[in-house]
Amino acid sequence: MSRTARTRLRLGLGASAFLLAVGLIPAAPTPAHADDVTDYAITVDPTAKGAKIDDTMYGVFFEDINRAADGGLYAELVQNRSFEYSTDDNRTYTPLTSWTVAGAAQVVNDDGRLNARNRNYLSLGAGSSVTNAGYNTGVRVEAGKKYDFSVWARAAAGAGLSVALGDADGSLADARQVAVKGGWAQYRATLTATRTSSTGRLTVAASDAVALDMVSLFPRDTYKHEPNGLRKDLAEKIAALHPGFVRFPGGCLVNTGSMQDYSEASGYQRKRSYQWKDTVGPVETRATNSNVWGYNQSYGLGYYEYFRLAEDIGAMPLPVVPALVTGCGQNKAVDDDALLQRHIQDTLDLIEFANGPVTSKWGKIRARMGHPKPFHLTHIEVGNEENLPVEFFARFQRFREAIDAKYPYMTVISNSGPDDAGSTFDTAWRLNRDANVDMVDEHYYNSPQWFLQNNDRYDSYSRTGPKVFLGEYASQGNTFKNGLAEAAYMTGLERNADVVKLASYAPLFANEDYVQWRPDMVWFNNHASWGSADYEVQKLFMTNVGDRVVPSTATGTPSLTGPISGAVGLSTWNTTAAYDDVRVTDADGNTLLSDDFSGDASQWTHTGSGSWAVQDGQYVQTTEAAENTMVSAGDPSWHDYDLRVKATKKAGREGFLVAFGVKDTGNYYWWNLGGWNNTQSAVEQAVDSGKSTLISKAGSIETGRAYDIDIKVRGRQVTLYLDGQEWGSFTDDKPAEPFRQVVTKDHRTGDLIVKVVNAQASAARTAIDLGGAKVAKKARVTTLAAAPDAVNTETATPVAPVTSTFSSVADNFSYTFPANSVTFLRIRQK
């Protein structure tokens, strides 16, 4: 335990005495049982000057994952509108996915196409029709609202089109007639919904043979009423956060797939990284692409729409461009200098598109799209989570030098790989620090426990080195417990606002019927959207940031740590393995468990997947494709013991796992030997099924070789031996402190904003000393309080802010913060 942690524990024991001495009355009724209250003290120093907090401190990260764009924020109601779906996108796709044909229809790829970048079109026979199923349950329309239909069509001899909306109960709008004549041209019609439905279908019928492309239906009522616009309720949820920036477009979209363009020369590659020039200009000329998350992306929501959204909500745009080192499991450095130079030039062109005058090449294109004024781009990020730090940084430096030479005002952001620690992280940070880069992007998705334990992460970061952009983080869940852990962590981000300049939860959106990643901030379907508990936490912080930290201290929670305790376990992951000679002894050498599997395996309980059996005096897991096949034995109260076992990998992609400190199926430690496709070994801690890495090293496990494993647990110190040699050790002694706070000042209003997170089952009776500040008696209070497992849904929002007034503020006062709560007190200074 650190000296700071010990001091906090001692101070915590004196909090109740402090309250009695000042004779203050709690702000909320004292619970009936004394055990339901923990006493704390917060001391504020209003005369001290804390870190300045930039207006851009908190933002959002939009990536097209979980159908966040097509079928989500992009308001287009027709799925696969240009018949471009392909097995490159998803093995189940065809060019007619989401379409039903009545009569004769064929998707064609020939010289008669609309344009070279829109390769496919539909040849529809006379008397035939096609019907589109939309997204989720269908096309969503609301009674009385207008919907704008458009289509590109050609018919040398002329053809009539009938455009209709309907569902299983009949018509949803009066059909419209469109006359097509001659070569490719765009035709439009407006339909007014006569009923509300979430299961609508759009049907286009032809009287004579006709070619169709870009069949589109947009609600007239989009965000800011843009014609290629954004879905209103989803855009409004972003706007309600008042984000300081919007990071876009990824994520893994940026650094996966081919780095080639979409052209005849490259063979019209469909699995490309997200490249901004594919996404601007008229929508019918934008290249389609395979999305790494398993579907198609039309690029209807492209860079122009992104810049417009950022401008509309008053946020700073923060684009991310490829660095020509793939990641997200691909991990390949592209060695093509001409291609690298092309991407560098593309990045310079992107800045010109955003900021250049209308007389410049790309500024002129921006103006033609409807925005003569510049977008005032100031930050740009190169790369995303590259797991090859040396190769990445060599390429990053080339981008940085070119950008600095032409646009010296631009903040160029690097990154530190995909994890919060480890060799990649350390190497990346060393390179960034030595080169004095502007800012480094960190990403991590960890357990709530990790976030509660690491509030002080940035306390020790250099104040003179590169600044931190926390570009992606979340605590592996959407319950209120997750929101509480993130809120506690955010108090540490604000306290270190001189180091952490930008932070964004990730991902932003998830369509409930197309989920590739959890957790997510905002959930939706084709007719509704709702903010998660995490969204409510982010919104509370983002709309109450303040301009400067007011230094403050708080007592901690007593007795947070005890020895690591629990049973022992064996497991595999995409591997078959055999175990033998398991022995657990206490610190005095007394045997707690011994099993050589000469008989049965009755001492073991199987709680995971896979199949276990005793074979030839060994305990063998035989299902190669199974993940987390845990079997456990022993007493959850065991502590201070040695665990010895022989383990042999028999087949499969990874190694084997030996567990200790096993409480139940979601709470344990394990030594993961040969994990991550047999490339590294690590000790991971699982808390409520969310895992975080405590120590890791590169290495692999050989098939057929028996390994001697010895794990010594003493208190909270663990030492690990492999074949008699010490492999590593760690001390898990960081308390998961549930009581966290920070105080900021809003210069515009003069308010002190006291932000307190109480992530425990007992109320926090707290003495607050404002250090002599002259304050008004009344404070505006905003509270999020709910059960730890509460989850917001389409029909219920148990996690929602409650506002109230507290009328007993003074230089010294007390307030009882509810159990499992986030509370903001806005206190007006006189």
Side-chain angles (χ1 to χ4, degrees), residues 216-469:
S216 173
L217 187 70
F218 264 88
R220 177 76 56 85
D221 189 19
T222 57
Y223 186 65
K224 300 292 184 181
H225 302 288
E226 293 284 345
N228 193 49
L230 306 181
R231 179 171 150 175
K232 191 173 183 180
D233 63 323
L234 296 183
E236 286 177 341
K237 280 190 168 51
I238 303 175
L241 295 167
H242 297 286
F245 66 89
V246 182
R247 180 175 181 251
F248 177 93
C252 289
L253 299 189
V254 168
N255 68 342
T256 54
S258 169
M259 298 293 166
Q260 300 290 337
D261 62 0
Y262 190 65
S263 66
E264 183 178 11
S266 67
Y268 294 104
Q269 295 191 33
R270 285 290 295 269
K271 295 185 176 182
R272 308 184 309 284
S273 64
Y274 196 110
Q275 299 176 45
W276 79 271
K277 289 180 179 177
D278 289 339
T279 76
V280 297
V283 292
E284 67 273 10
T285 66
R286 300 183 189 181
T288 192
N289 199 9
S290 171
N291 183 299
V292 70
W293 300 112
Y295 52 90
N296 177 273
Q297 49 191 345
S298 73
Y299 289 145
L301 195 172
Y303 258 89
Y304 178 76
E305 291 73 25
Y306 156 61
F307 282 134
R308 287 295 300 263
L309 172 64
E311 181 180 67
D312 285 342
I313 64 178
M316 177 182 78
L318 201 165
V320 187
V321 298
L324 271 71
V325 177
T326 58
C328 302
Q330 297 183 3
N331 299 339
K332 178 183 177 183
V334 179
D335 191 14
D336 183 332
D337 194 67
L339 186 59
L340 174 63
Q341 190 54 49
R342 193 267 287 176
H343 276 267
I344 291 171
Q345 185 59 50
D346 281 355
T347 301
L348 297 175
D349 292 343
L350 173 59
I351 299 171
E352 182 176 286
F353 177 77
N355 294 351
V358 295
T359 54
S360 65
K361 175 182 176 181
W362 290 101
K364 185 182 297 183
I365 291 173
R366 181 193 70 239
R368 283 191 198 134
M369 294 183 73
H371 201 282
K373 293 182 179 179
F375 285 115
H376 305 295
L377 180 66
T378 59
H379 291 61
I380 196 163
E381 182 172 358
V382 177
N384 170 76
E385 291 189 9
E386 280 72 26
N387 217 2
L388 300 172
V390 173
E391 293 85 345
F392 159 73
F393 201 75
R395 290 154 179 79
F396 170 82
Q397 285 284 62
R398 296 273 300 276
F399 280 86
R400 183 191 185 198
E401 290 165 3
I403 295 169
D404 283 348
K406 191 167 185 180
Y407 302 103
Y409 61 84
M410 194 67 58
T411 296
V412 185
I413 303 172
S414 181
N415 76 80
S416 59
D419 301 305
D420 62 271
S423 58
T424 295
F425 179 88
D426 292 340
T427 300
W429 256 107
R430 176 178 54 79
L431 293 167
N432 285 308
R433 195 178 296 111
D434 290 348
N436 195 30
V437 303
D438 297 323
M439 191 175 290
V440 177
D441 188 2
E442 294 189 355
H443 294 177
Y444 36 83
Y445 297 90
N446 291 326
S447 68
Q449 173 100 347
W450 186 94
F451 283 94
L452 292 176
Q453 288 177 320
N454 286 277
N455 180 271
D456 63 349
R457 176 180 176 89
Y458 297 107
D459 290 1
S460 59
Y461 272 50
S462 169
R463 269 46 202 169
T464 59
K467 302 305 180 186
V468 172
F469 170 27

Side-chain angles (χ1 to χ4, degrees), residues 486-682:
E486 290 151 7
Y489 194 71
M490 292 169 80
T491 66
L493 300 182
E494 291 192 5
R495 187 177 65 251
N496 290 285
D498 56 331
V499 170
V500 183
K501 306 304 289 183
L502 306 168
S504 51
Y505 179 102
L508 176 58
F509 285 127
N511 185 321
E512 66 175 353
D513 293 331
Y514 308 93
V515 180
Q516 290 89 33
W517 183 277
R518 298 172 187 266
D520 305 285
M521 195 193 300
V522 176
W523 291 77
F524 66 92
N525 50 39
N526 68 356
H527 62 274
S529 58
W530 56 98
S532 66
D534 314 75
Y535 174 86
E536 296 298 341
V537 164
Q538 293 291 323
K539 184 178 179 182
L540 185 58
F541 273 84
M542 292 166 78
T543 55
N544 293 277
V545 181
D547 304 287
R548 188 172 289 279
V549 175
V550 180
S552 60
T553 57
T555 53
T557 304
S559 304
L560 279 175
T561 59
I564 292 174
S565 61
V568 299
L570 311 170
S571 190
T572 61
W573 198 289
N574 289 325
T575 307
T576 61
Y579 294 91
D580 200 0
D581 297 332
V582 179
R583 190 176 182 215
V584 181
T585 55
D586 66 18
D588 296 325
N590 301 308
T591 299
L592 301 175
L593 172 72
S594 180
D595 203 335
D596 63 2
F597 303 108
S598 57
D600 56 26
S602 58
Q603 297 185 82
W604 298 85
T605 300
H606 185 193
T607 56
S609 62
S611 180
W612 290 83
V614 174
Q615 297 178 358
D616 302 322
Q618 296 179 313
Y619 202 19
V620 184
Q621 198 291 115
T622 58
T623 306
E624 185 172 325
E627 298 180 347
N628 193 2
T629 63
M630 180 86 79
V631 290
S632 61
D635 191 327
S637 67
W638 282 351
H639 61 87
D640 296 290
Y641 57 75
D642 291 3
L643 165 61
R644 297 180 181 85
V645 60
K646 289 185 182 295
T648 305
K649 172 183 175 178
K650 298 176 74 68
R653 288 163 38 193
E654 306 216 345
F656 36 75
L657 304 109
V658 179
F660 55 98
V662 179
K663 296 289 191 184
D664 51 45
T665 56
N667 295 274
Y668 54 84
Y669 300 79
W670 67 18
W671 189 3
N672 184 350
L673 288 143
W676 297 270
N677 290 321
N678 206 16
T679 61
Q680 62 179 308
S681 299

Side-chain angles (χ1 to χ4, degrees), residues 102-104 123-130 153-163 176-181 203-212:
S123 175
L124 188 61
S128 301
S129 66
V130 285
R154 64 172 170 81
L161 297 180
S162 177
V163 183
R176 298 299 306 274
Q177 307 302 313
V178 176
V180 177
K181 178 71 173 178
T203 298
V204 180
S207 62
D208 297 283
V210 65
L212 305 178

